[in-house]
Amino acid sequence: LGLLLALNVKGTEESGQFQIVVTVLKVILIIVFLYGGLQAFDASTIATSFAENADRYRQIGLTSALVFITFFGFEAIATNAEEIEEPGKNIPRAIFFSMGFVTVVYALVVVVVTQAIRDPQYLQFLVTQVPGLSDVPGAETFVAENGELAMGYAASYYLGNVGFYVIIVGALFSMLSAANATVLAGSRVK
């Protein structure tokens, strides 16, 4: 936090460049994860999962609410209006473009994770990788209770040992990016 504050005190240009670099690195890591996961894409697995879960309104609503909260960060674009050329035209475009891009990325991540958790070989992989798991039903419970960690293991399953670190570093970049955006935007609120 101290380094981010110092960076933002130094100047908007430096903070903005830092934000761009961290965001690009984060997106590259997500694309690597998606590339690995989409290699195993099977439309029938996704269709079956959708058919089995389409009536789980409570879980769908909770997940949608959590995802919706992450979209509030896009309002930070508007706080930088003073530094944006033609803000009346470019701010709405930036917000809608970024929301569309993130929606597509979120959907693809859900597809990859759904593909993994419906793959018996992935569940067996979890049994061999996660201490304390001894059978596939235990792996299914592990996935249900540890979604983020299960995503890291899915990356390992698709990309090998480096996959887990792709997710860990991506998560760290995401937190760093969000913290910097908050400081950058918060310093401009009047």
Side-chain angles (χ1 to χ4, degrees):
L1 181 59
L3 292 173
L4 291 177
L5 288 173
L7 179 66
N8 279 275
V9 167
K10 185 170 182 177
T12 302
E13 185 174 340
E14 292 82 358
S15 180
Q17 289 173 348
F18 175 79
Q19 187 70 14
I20 290 169
V21 169
V22 171
T23 301
V24 166
L25 291 173
K26 173 178 60 174
V27 170
I28 288 170
L29 291 173
I30 292 170
I31 289 171
V32 168
F33 170 71
L34 292 175
Y35 173 78
L38 290 174
Q39 298 301 308
F41 179 75
D42 179 19
S44 65
T45 299
I46 302 304
T48 301
S49 179
F50 179 79
E52 290 175 1
N53 295 292
D55 63 346
R56 294 186 175 181
Y57 304 114
R58 182 175 183 275
Q59 291 89 346
I60 292 170
L62 289 172
T63 301
S64 298
L66 289 172
V67 170
F68 181 74
I69 289 169
T70 65
F71 281 79
F72 283 130
F74 296 112
E75 71 188 28
I77 295 169
T79 62
N80 295 312
E82 296 172 358
E83 296 145 22
I84 297 174
E85 293 179 19
E86 298 185 55
K89 179 175 83 174
N90 290 329
I91 288 176
R93 285 181 178 175
I95 289 172
F96 287 121
F97 172 79
S98 59
M99 288 179 75
F101 178 78
V102 169
T103 299
V104 169
V105 170
Y106 274 20
L108 289 173
V109 167
V110 168
V111 166
V112 169
V113 172
T114 301
Q115 188 74 34
I117 63 176
R118 309 229 2 122
D119 182 347
Q121 291 177 338
Y122 168 68
L123 295 173
Q124 192 59 47
F125 171 80
L126 283 177
V127 170
T128 63
Q129 297 296 311
V130 178
L133 291 182
S134 59
D135 56 14
V136 170
E140 291 172 343
T141 301
F142 174 82
V143 169
E145 295 174 355
N146 302 283
E148 295 84 7
L149 190 54
M151 185 174 165
Y153 281 113
S156 293
Y157 177 70
Y158 291 126
L159 299 170
N161 291 336
V162 72
F164 193 81
Y165 298 104
V166 164
I167 294 300
I168 297 297
V169 172
L172 291 172
F173 281 156
S174 292
M175 288 186 289
L176 190 59
S177 171
N180 187 56
T182 301
V183 172
L184 179 63
S187 66
R188 282 147 185 80
V189 174
K190 294 179 184 180

